[in-house]
C-alpha cells in the first residue's frame, strides 16, 4: 500500500517535470514553425541550426562565458577558501556574510546593481560585463563546495608533510589539494551549470548584439520562437543525459553492493 | 504453563539473498539476563531486531507469553530497546526524551514528572532534566537511553551492544551498573554483544551464535568450562585447541601422547577436538609432565605470565604465576578434568562452527 | 613564524575580497545611490515611497500572495517526495539526478514556455479535455498558471535541502520513536518534522525569494497582463527608463527578502540551516 503510493507519487512528479521537456523535444521535430499544428516529422530545424550564425554565436558565447567564468571563479574561490581559513573569527564571519549576498539576494537585484555600476562607471555593456557578472555569482558556489572539504581536511597530514621536509606550498599541493579536489570539481561543475542556465543576470548585464542561448530565447518569445532553439536545447539535454548516465550509473552500481551489507 | 516469556520458533531471515538466521529456536525466561554473543555478522543483532519488531522474519514465529506477536508493529510491543548509538532525540531535552513514550501513552503530568525523577535517579543522573543530549558524554547519553526505555515499564529490555561506543573503564563501570539496574527493576534483559568478557560478567544465560546458528546455550560457567565445540572454545577466552583421538573412554591421545581425561561415550579411536585452557596447563620440571617442551616467549600480564611453549610440534599457550625463562626446558601436565573433549563437526550445517577468526 | 605564515595565507583571500568589494558591495551601494536620489540630483525618499502607488502596491501584494502560495505548495509536494527518496536508499542517487539535475539542462525559459503550450486555450490540455467532451478551461494568463510555473521551476530547491536533512537523521532515531510507542503519525509529528526544520527553512528561503522576485515566469505564463513586482522593476529599467524609481522599488524588494529571512531565522534555533 505504502509502496504503491510512493511509486505513483514518484511517477506523477516525473511526469510533472518531464512532460514539458518531452513537448519541447517533440516540437524540435515538427515540420511546421507553428507550435499548435503538428505538420509531420522533420529534422530541418536541426539542419538550420548549423546554418544560423546568430544561434551558433549564442552557443559559443554561452559556453565560453560559462567556461571562463567558472574557471576564474574556481581559482578565486579556492584561494579565498585558504585565506578565509587563516582569518580571525570576526574576519571569517564578515567575509562569509558578503560572500553569501549574491546567493541570497534576488537575481534581479544582483543583475540590476551590476548594470547600474557598469553604466555609472562608463563601462560599456558587452561580453566582458557578462563574464564579470558570472564570476561574481559563481565564486560563492565554489566556496560553498570547497570550504567544508577544507575544514575537514586533516591538519595533521599537512603538518606531517612539512615534518617530512615539504615546503608549505609543496605540502599543500601534495596533501591538502587531493583531499579537497572533489569539492573543487563539484564547485566548478556547479558554477558551470549555473552560468549556462542563467538568464536574469545576463539579461541585465549584456550589451546589444551579444546573446547567450537564454537571452536569445527571451527576445524570440514575443516574435515567436525559431524551432531551432528547441533543437538546440534537445541536443544539449540529450548530451547531458548521456554524460550523467555514464558518470552516475557506472560507479553507483558498484558502490551499491558495498553499502548494503547488513548484519 | 511454561515460564517462557519469549519463544522464537523456527526463525529464518535473509537479506539480499544472504541467509542471516537459519531456523533458529530459542526461548527466554522471565527475569533472565540473556546475552546473545558472537562475532559480527553472526545474526545476533538481527535476532534482537526481530524480537523488537524492527525486522520481520521470513519464516517462523515470535511468541510473547505464548501469544504470537510476529506481525505486531514495534510501537505496540511491551518491550523497549536501548540502541547501539543511543538514538536520543537531538531536538528534545533529557526530560523530554525520557517523557517521550509516556506522553504518547497519555500519562498524567504528575506521573510523568515522578517517573523522570525516578529514572534519572536510577541511572545516577539527577538534575540533568533540562540538558540537551549533545551536551552529555557518551556514557551519560547511554544512561539516558536506558532511563528512556525503562520508564515505560517494559517486560523486556533489549540492549544492542549498548557499551560498544564507550571506553574500556566506562564499559566496566556500566557493566556493574547494568547488573544493579537489572536487580532493582527485575525485568528480563536481552543483551547483544561481541565482547565475551561482558557476556561472562553479566549474564544468567549466554547464547553463543555464529553465522546464523546457535552454537551453545548455557550459563557463563558452562560456556567457559565446557564449550561444546571448537568455535565456542576459541571465541570464549584463550584456549589451546588440538586435534586428538579418543582411544577409549577416559583416554585421549594428543600429539602422540596418551593422557587421562574424564569424558566418555565417544567410541573407540574417534578423532575429536580437544580444548585445554591456558591456565590449566601446569609447567613442571622436564620429564615430570605428560610431555616436554621449550619456552619460546614470555609476556608479563600483571596477574600472571603468559608463555608459549613448543612441545611435540604444537605451540602451547600457558598462563602461570611462575616465570620460566625463554629457552627453558619444561614439562607439561594437565589434570584429567581440565581436558575438554568435543566432537568434530560433521554435517554441512556444522560448518558454521569452523574457525574463521 | 607561524604568525607570519598565517598572514601570508590570509593574503590569498585578497583577490576575492577586492572582487567582492567591486562587484558585490559597490553595486549594492549603487542601488542605494540611485534609490535615494532624484533623477535631477538631490536626496529624496520618493523612489522608495513609490511602492505606495496603486499599481506598484498591487504588484507587490500579488507577488507576495503568489510566492507564498508557491512556497506552501512546494513544501507540501516536496516533503513526501523527500521522505520517499530517503527510504529508497537503493536507487535514490540516480533518482535525484533524474528528478532535479537533468531537467535543469533544458533551458529554463524553454521549460517554462512548454507550459504555455500545455495550458493555452488551444493547447495540449484543452485538446485532451475537448476530446473527452469536457469544456475547455481557461488556464493560460491566469494567476494559477504563474503559480504552476513557479512550482515547476522551484520545486527542486525545496526537495534537495529537505532530502539532505532527512538522510542525515539516523534510522535508529525513528526506530527509537516506534520503540517508545509512537505510531507513524506521532513519529512524523514529534520526531521527523522537528528534526527537519533546518531543511524546511532553507527550502523555504530558496523557493520564496526567487518566486517573490521573478519577472520571467509571469511574463511567459501571465501574458504580460499580470504584473508582479519583478515585472514592474524590470520595466522601470528597460522600457520606461526610470532607474531611480526602479532602484527604490528594488530596495523595498530587498527589505522583504531580508525580512523573510529574519523571520525564518527565528525558527532555526541552531542558526546553521543547511545551505544546499
Amino acid at each position: 500500500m505504502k509502496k504503491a503510493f510512493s511509486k505513483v507519487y514518484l511517477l506523477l512528479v516525473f511526469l510533472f517535470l518531464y512532460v514539458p521537456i518531452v513537448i519541447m523535444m517533440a516540437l524540435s521535430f515538427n515540420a511546421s514553425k507553428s507550435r499548435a499544428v503538428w505538420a509531420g516529422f522533420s529534422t530541418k530545424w536541426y539542419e538550420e541550426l548549423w546554418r544560423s550564425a546568430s544561434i551558433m554565436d549564442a552557443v559559443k558565447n554561452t559556453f565560453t562565458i560559462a567556461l571562463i567564468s567558472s574557471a576564474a571563479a574556481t581559482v578565486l574561490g579556492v584561494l579565498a577558501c585558504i585565506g578565509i581559513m587563516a582569518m580571525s573569527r570576526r574576519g571569517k564571519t564578515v567575509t562569509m556574510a558578503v560572500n553569501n549576498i549574491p546567493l541570497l539576494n534576488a537575481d534581479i537585484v544582483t543583475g540590476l546593481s551590476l548594470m547600474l555600476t557598469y553604466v555609472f562607471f562608463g563601462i560599456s555593456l558587452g561580453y566582458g560585463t557578462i563574464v564579470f557578472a558570472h564570476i561574481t555569482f559563481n565564486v560563492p558556489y565554489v566556496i560553498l563546495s570547497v570550504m567544508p572539504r577544507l575544514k575537514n581536511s586533516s591538519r595533521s597530514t599537512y603538518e606531517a608533510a612539512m615534518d617530512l621536509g615539504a615546503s608549505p606550498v609543496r605540502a599543500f599541493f601534495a596533501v591538502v589539494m587531493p583531499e579537497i579536489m572533489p569539492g573543487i570539481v563539484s564547485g566548478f561543475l556547479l558554477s558551470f551549470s549555473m552560468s549556462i542556465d542563467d538568464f536574469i543576470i545576463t539579461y541585465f548585464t549584456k550589451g546589444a548584439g551579444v546573446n547567450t542561448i537564454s537571452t536569445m530565447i527571451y527576445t524570440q518569445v514575443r516574435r515567436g520562437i525559431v524551432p531551432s532553439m528547441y533543437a538546440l536545447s534537445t541536443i544539449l539535454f540529450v548530451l547531458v543525459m548521456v554524460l550523467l548516465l555514464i558518470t552516475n550509473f557506472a560507479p553507483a552500481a558498484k558502490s551499491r553492493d558495498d553499502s548494503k551489507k547488513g548484519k | 504453563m511454561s515460564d517462557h516469556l519469549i519463544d522464537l520458533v523456527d526463525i529464518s531471515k535473509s537479506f539480499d539473498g544472504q541467509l542471516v538466521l537459519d531456523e533458529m529456536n530459542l526461548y527466554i525466561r522471565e527475569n533472565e539476563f540473556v546475552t546473545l554473543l558472537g562475532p559480527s555478522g553472526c545474526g545476533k543483532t538481527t535476532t534482537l531486531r526481530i524480537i523488537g519488531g524492527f525486522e520481520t522474519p521470513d519464516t517462523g514465529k515470535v511468541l510473547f507469553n505464548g501469544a504470537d506477536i510476529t506481525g505486531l508493529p514495534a510501537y505496540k510491543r511491551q518491550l523497549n530497546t536501548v540502541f547501539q548509538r543511543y538514538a536520543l532525540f537531538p531536538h528534545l531535552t533529557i526530560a523530554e526524551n525520557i517523557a517521550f513514550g509516556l506522553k504518547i501513552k497519555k500519562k498524567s503530568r504528575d506521573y510523568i514528572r515522578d517517573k523522570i525523577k525516578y529514572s534519572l535517579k536510577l541511572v545516577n543522573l539527577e538534575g540533568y532534566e533540562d540538558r540537551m543530549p549533545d551536551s552529555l558524554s557518551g556514557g551519560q547519553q547511554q544512561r539516558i537511553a536506558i532511563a528512556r526505555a525503562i520508564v515505560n515499564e517494559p517486560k523486556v529490555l533489549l540492549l544492542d551492544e549498548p557499551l560498544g561506543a564507550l571506553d574500556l573503564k566506562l564499559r566496566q563501570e556500566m557493566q556493574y551498573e547494568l547488573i544493579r539496574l537489572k536487580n532493582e527493576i527485575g525485568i528480563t534483559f536481552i543483551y547483544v554483544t561481541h565482547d565475551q568478557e561482558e557476556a561472562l560478567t553479566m549474564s544468567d544465560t549466554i547464547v553463543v551464535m555464529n553465522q546464523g546458528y546457535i552454537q551453545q546455550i548455557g550459563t557463563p560457567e558452562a560456556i567457559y568450562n565446557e564449550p561444546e565445540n571448537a568455535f565456542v572454545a576459541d571465541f570464549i577466552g584463550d584456549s589451546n585447541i588440538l586435534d586428538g583421538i579418543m582411544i577409549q573412554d577416559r583416554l585421549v591421545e594428543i600429539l602422540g601422547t596418551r593422557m587421562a581425561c574424564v569424558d566418555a561415550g565417544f567410541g573407540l579411536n574417534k578423532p575429536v577436538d580437544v580444548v585445554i585452557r591456558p591456565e590449566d596447563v601446569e609447567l613442571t620440571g622436564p620429564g615430570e609432565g605428560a610431555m616436554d617442551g621449550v619456552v619460546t616467549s614470555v609476556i608479563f600480564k600483571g596477574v600472571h605470565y603468559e608463555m608459549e611453549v613448543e612441545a611435540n610440534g604444537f605451540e602451547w599457550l600457558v598462563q602461570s604465576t611462575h616465570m620460566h625463562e625463554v629457552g627453558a626446558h619444561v614439562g607439561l601436565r594437565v589434570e584429567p578434568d581440565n581436558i575438554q573433549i568435543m566432537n568434530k563437526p560433521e554435517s554441512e550445517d556444522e560448518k558454521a562452527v569452523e574457525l574463521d577468526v | 613564524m607561524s604568525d607570519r605564515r598565517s598572514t601570508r595565507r590570509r593574503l590569498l583571500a585578497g583577490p576575492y575580497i577586492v572582487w567582492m568589494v567591486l562587484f558585490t558591495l559597490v553595486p549594492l551601494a549603487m542601488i542605494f545611490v540611485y534609490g535615494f536620489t532624484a533623477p535631477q540630483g538631490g536626496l529624496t525618499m520618493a523612489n522608495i515611497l513609490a511602492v505606495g502607488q496603486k499599481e506598484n502596491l498591487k504588484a507587490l501584494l500579488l507577488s507576495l500572495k503568489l510566492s507564498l502560495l508557491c512556497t506552501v505548495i512546494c513544501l507540501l509536494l516536496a516533503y513526501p517526495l523527500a521522505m520517499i527518496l530517503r527510504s529508497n536508499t537503493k536507487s535514490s542517487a540516480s533518482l535525484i539526478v533524474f528528478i532535479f539535475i537533468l531537467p535543469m539542462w533544458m533551458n529554463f525559459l524553454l521549460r517554462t514556455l512548454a507550459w504555455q503550450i500545455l495550458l493555452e486555450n488551444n493547447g495540449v490540455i484543452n485538446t485532451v479535455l475537448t476530446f473527452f467532451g469536457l469544456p475547455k478551461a481557461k488556464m493560460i494568463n491566469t494567476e494559477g498558471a504563474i503559480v504552476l510555473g513557479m512550482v515547476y521551476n522551484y520545486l527542486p530547491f525545496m526537495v534537495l535541502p529537505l532530502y539532505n536533512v532527512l538522510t542525515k537523521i539516523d534510522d535508529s532515531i525513528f526506530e527509537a520513536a516506534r520503540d517508545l510507542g509512537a505510531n507513524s503519525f506521532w513519529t512524523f509529528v514529534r520526531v521527523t518534522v522537528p528534526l527537519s526544520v533546518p531543511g524546511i527553512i532553507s527550502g523555504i528561503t530558496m523557493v520564496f525569494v526567487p518566486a517573490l522576485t521573478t519577472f520571467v515566469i509571469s511574463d511567459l505564463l501571465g501574458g504580460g497582463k499580470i504584473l508582479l513586482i519583478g515585472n514592474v522593476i524590470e520595466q522601470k529599467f528597460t522600457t520606461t527608463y526610470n532607474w531611480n524609481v526602479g532602484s527604490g522599488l528594488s530596495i523595498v524588494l530587498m527589505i522583504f527578502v531580508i525580512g523573510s529571512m529574519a523571520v525564518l531565522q527565528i525558527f532555526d534555533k541552531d542558526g546553521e540551516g543547511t545551505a544546499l
Side-chain angles (χ1 to χ4, degrees):
Chain A
M1 176 56 209
K2 226 175 172 180
K3 276 255 163 76
F5 171 80
S6 2
K7 284 221 171 96
V8 171
Y9 194 79
L10 275 179
L11 185 74
L12 287 177
V13 171
F14 246 92
L15 285 179
F16 179 60
L17 292 171
Y18 278 85
V19 162
I21 291 173
V22 170
I23 284 186
M24 282 293 120
M25 291 176 148
L27 284 177
S28 75
F29 292 105
N30 189 0
S32 158
K33 196 182 168 183
S34 161
R35 52 192 214 200
V37 190
W38 179 255
F41 182 88
S42 153
T43 55
K44 72 171 177 186
W45 303 116
Y46 286 84
E47 288 150 30
E48 228 162 81
L49 185 60
W50 310 115
R51 272 182 258 127
S52 162
S54 62
I55 293 182
M56 281 298 123
D57 247 11
V59 172
K60 208 179 74 197
N61 287 340
T62 306
F63 278 91
T64 52
I65 288 169
L67 203 63
I68 296 170
S69 68
S70 48
T74 306
V75 174
L76 271 179
V78 172
L79 288 178
C81 280
I82 302 165
I84 292 168
M85 288 295 283
M87 283 183 189
S88 65
R89 213 185 155 76
R90 193 121 153 267
K92 238 182 237 177
T93 319
V94 173
T95 316
M96 287 311 282
V98 179
N99 177 59
N100 283 338
I101 290 176
L103 286 179
L104 299 173
N105 206 349
D107 278 357
I108 184 172
V109 179
T110 306
L112 284 174
S113 67
L114 282 164
M115 178 187 97
L116 286 177
T117 313
Y118 292 146
V119 172
F120 188 87
F121 290 102
I123 305 164
S124 60
L125 298 176
Y127 186 89
T129 48
I130 306 178
V131 173
F132 288 146
H134 280 222
I135 294 174
T136 307
F137 72 74
N138 277 340
V139 184
Y141 288 109
V142 175
I143 290 185
L144 268 191
S145 336
V146 175
M147 201 59 143
R149 290 262 170 191
L150 198 60
K151 267 188 196 155
N152 288 339
S153 82
S154 66
R155 219 189 141 67
S156 56
T157 50
Y158 173 70
E159 279 166 356
M162 291 209 284
D163 181 68
L164 295 170
S167 68
V169 176
R170 178 111 189 237
F172 176 81
F173 279 104
V175 178
V176 183
M177 199 65 167
E179 259 189 277
I180 63 172
M181 207 53 199
I184 296 176
V185 171
S186 71
F188 175 81
L189 290 178
L190 192 61
S191 46
F192 186 79
S193 36
M194 284 295 166
S195 182
I196 297 245
D197 201 47
D198 177 69
F199 163 69
I200 296 175
I201 293 172
T202 314
Y203 176 70
F204 286 112
T205 53
K206 84 183 188 70
V210 185
N211 262 326
T212 63
I213 299 173
S214 288
T215 60
M216 194 168 200
I217 293 170
Y218 193 69
T219 43
Q220 284 182 4
V221 166
R222 294 200 177 97
R223 289 184 270 128
I225 301 261
V226 180
S228 288
M229 297 313 287
Y230 305 148
L232 175 62
S233 295
T234 304
I235 293 173
L236 284 180
F237 183 83
V238 171
L239 216 67
V240 173
M241 184 167 79
V242 170
L243 267 174
L244 284 177
L245 279 174
I246 294 169
T247 52
N248 266 284
F249 282 81
K254 228 179 170 186
S255 64
R256 211 175 288 158
D257 297 324
D258 305 347
S259 64
K260 186 81 188 181
K261 260 192 187 151
K263 282 190 187 176
Chain B
M1 225 7 234
S2 68
D3 60 346
H4 296 185
L5 183 61
I6 292 173
D7 286 271
L8 300 181
V9 186
D10 295 334
I11 298 280
S12 297
K13 178 77 185 174
S14 47
F15 292 108
D16 295 332
Q18 212 169 2
L19 200 62
V20 177
L21 290 177
D22 193 2
E23 304 205 348
M24 175 186 189
N25 284 283
L26 178 68
Y27 65 85
I28 287 152
R29 275 188 293 258
E30 204 149 343
N31 213 350
E32 199 176 13
F33 195 129
V34 180
T35 299
L36 306 180
L37 174 68
S40 69
C42 72
K44 57 188 192 299
T45 295
T46 306
T47 308
L48 195 78
R49 290 173 61 80
I50 286 173
I51 298 173
F54 302 114
E55 305 280 0
T56 330
D58 300 338
T59 66
K61 281 188 296 189
V62 182
L63 306 183
F64 189 82
N65 267 334
D68 188 349
I69 59 161
T70 318
L72 202 67
Y75 63 90
K76 287 185 180 162
R77 296 192 182 196
Q78 281 178 296
L79 335 138
N80 285 109
T81 308
V82 176
F83 292 86
Q84 193 166 9
R85 299 219 120 262
Y86 327 134
L88 297 182
F89 304 120
H91 60 299
L92 301 179
T93 64
I94 297 308
E96 287 166 334
N97 260 285
I98 296 173
F100 191 92
L102 300 174
K103 276 191 188 152
I104 296 231
K105 292 191 195 88
K106 301 244 179 335
K107 300 287 188 193
S108 78
R109 198 175 277 252
D110 288 343
Y111 177 87
I112 293 177
R113 207 187 43 227
D114 290 348
K115 271 288 186 184
I116 293 173
K117 245 190 137 159
Y118 163 76
S119 65
L120 281 176
K121 200 171 161 197
L122 209 58
V123 296
N124 286 329
L125 284 175
E126 288 151 293
Y128 278 70
E129 280 88 345
D130 297 326
R131 299 274 290 268
M132 294 306 280
D134 58 8
S135 73
L136 267 55
S137 72
Q140 290 171 329
Q141 289 191 39
Q142 192 53 273
R143 286 157 198 248
I144 298 300
I146 293 167
R148 184 179 68 175
I150 57 181
V151 286
N152 300 290
E153 297 176 356
K155 287 270 173 58
V156 182
L157 191 65
L158 308 176
L159 301 106
D160 183 8
E161 307 221 15
L163 311 184
L166 307 180
D167 64 52
L168 181 66
K169 191 147 188 308
L170 208 52
R171 209 152 62 212
Q172 284 166 344
E173 265 175 48
M174 283 297 287
Q175 288 176 18
Y176 292 108
E177 194 104 341
L178 281 171
I179 297 169
R180 178 182 64 78
L181 258 173
K182 161 86 178 48
N183 293 335
E184 246 168 86
I185 53 181
I187 57 171
T188 307
F189 275 36
I190 305 179
Y191 191 98
V192 160
T193 184
H194 63 267
D195 184 324
Q196 43 123 347
E197 190 223 318
E198 263 174 46
L200 293 172
T201 312
M202 297 190 285
S203 324
D204 299 321
T205 305
I206 296 177
V207 179
V208 185
M209 297 179 68
N210 190 33
Q211 299 184 5
Y213 297 96
I214 293 178
Q215 303 298 328
Q216 187 172 356
I217 303 178
T219 62
E221 292 82 359
I223 298 272
Y224 188 84
N225 292 330
E226 292 138 37
E228 276 173 20
N229 59 44
F231 173 79
V232 177
D234 189 64
F235 194 72
I236 309 277
D238 299 317
S239 28
N240 297 293
I241 301 175
L242 307 101
D243 287 324
I245 297 164
M246 206 64 185
I247 304 297
Q248 62 188 62
D249 282 356
R250 286 175 280 281
L251 187 63
V252 65
E253 186 181 298
I254 311 161
L255 306 171
T257 307
R258 294 195 175 191
M259 295 171 87
C261 63
V262 294
D263 295 85
F266 284 86
L268 298 177
N269 296 319
K270 175 90 190 301
V272 289
D273 280 329
V274 180
V275 170
I276 300 169
R277 295 287 181 192
E279 67 270 26
D280 292 334
V281 181
E282 295 168 52
L283 294 183
T284 63
E288 293 169 25
M291 56 184 86
D292 285 345
V294 181
V295 178
T296 55
S297 83
V298 180
I299 301 168
F300 179 58
K301 287 275 196 173
V303 286
H304 56 69
Y305 293 92
E306 194 164 280
M307 285 162 281
E308 287 181 332
V309 179
E310 164 111 32
N312 289 12
F314 184 79
E315 196 83 19
W316 291 78
L317 192 67
V318 181
Q319 288 167 355
S320 167
T321 48
H322 292 287
M323 210 256 289
H324 295 261
E325 302 268 345
V326 172
H329 289 262
V330 292
L332 280 74
R333 183 166 64 201
V334 186
E335 290 295 325
D337 61 353
N338 284 332
I339 297 176
Q340 176 71 23
I341 310 289
M342 301 168 308
N343 272 317
K344 290 230 174 239
E346 283 166 6
S347 72
E348 191 69 15
D349 275 3
E350 283 178 87
K351 269 268 156 55
V353 306
E354 277 178 14
L355 312 174
D356 54 5
V357 193
Chain C
M1 175 73 190
S2 81
D3 247 1
R4 214 185 319 145
R5 193 168 288 154
S6 83
T7 311
R8 248 190 292 153
R9 244 187 297 146
R10 246 176 296 173
L11 284 179
L12 291 175
Y16 181 50
I17 287 174
V18 171
W19 191 279
M20 282 200 293
V21 171
L22 289 181
F23 289 93
T24 304
L25 294 180
V26 168
L28 269 184
M30 293 310 298
I31 291 257
F32 282 89
V33 168
Y34 277 86
F36 285 102
T37 53
Q40 310 77 17
L43 285 177
T44 175
M45 284 298 283
N47 302 321
I48 308 285
L49 296 174
V51 76
Q53 285 162 20
K54 200 170 153 243
E55 61 271 34
N56 295 346
L57 194 62
K58 196 178 145 205
L60 179 64
L61 291 178
L62 186 64
S63 281
L64 282 171
K65 178 179 135 191
L66 299 190
S67 53
L68 278 175
L69 201 60
C70 158
T71 309
V72 171
I73 294 174
C74 279
L75 187 59
L76 292 181
L77 285 177
Y79 213 107
L81 191 60
M83 301 256 287
I84 291 169
L85 288 174
R86 184 195 181 279
S87 63
N88 223 330
T89 43
K90 276 204 170 175
S91 48
S92 57
S94 43
L95 266 177
I96 283 165
V97 166
F98 274 90
I99 291 184
F100 308 113
I101 316 280
L102 191 52
M104 301 244 256
W105 280 85
M106 180 57 92
N107 186 281
F108 147 66
L109 292 163
L110 284 185
R111 270 182 292 151
T112 312
L113 214 58
W115 280 105
Q116 221 177 50
I117 298 161
L118 280 161
L119 301 174
E120 266 168 343
N121 291 337
N122 296 313
V124 176
I125 295 177
N126 271 326
T127 311
V128 174
L129 285 178
T130 350
F131 180 80
F132 286 108
L134 294 163
K136 280 189 178 184
K138 159 100 179 113
M139 289 173 292
I140 194 70
N141 303 346
T142 60
E143 293 175 7
I146 298 177
V147 174
L148 180 86
M150 289 174 173
V151 171
Y152 178 72
N153 274 299
Y154 305 135
L155 182 64
F157 299 131
M158 184 67 89
V159 182
L160 277 181
L162 278 178
Y163 172 76
N164 280 343
V165 81
L166 284 178
T167 44
K168 278 195 199 114
I169 306 173
D170 198 279
D171 271 331
S172 65
I173 294 278
F174 298 116
E175 286 179 355
R178 293 179 76 73
D179 184 74
L180 295 167
N183 57 20
S184 308
F185 174 75
W186 283 117
T187 306
F188 181 74
V189 173
R190 291 260 168 90
V191 178
T192 318
V193 171
L195 283 177
S196 58
V197 164
I200 296 175
I201 287 184
S202 42
I204 291 178
T205 323
M206 289 171 73
V207 169
F208 180 72
V209 173
L212 179 70
T213 61
T214 184
F215 67 94
V216 182
I217 296 174
S218 42
D219 223 22
L220 295 180
L221 299 178
K225 286 171 203 81
I226 303 176
L227 294 185
L228 298 184
I229 188 69
N231 299 90
V232 173
I233 294 175
E234 190 246 345
Q235 285 172 4
K236 292 279 183 262
F237 279 90
T238 58
T239 46
T240 59
Y241 294 102
N242 195 337
W243 291 13
N244 299 84
V245 173
S247 300
L249 294 177
S250 298
I251 293 171
V252 174
L253 197 58
M254 274 196 281
I255 291 169
F256 271 90
V257 170
I258 294 167
S260 66
M261 282 185 224
V263 170
L264 287 171
Q265 278 310 309
I266 297 169
F267 292 97
D268 194 5
K269 281 186 230 157
D270 303 330
E272 281 276 319
T274 45
L276 252 164

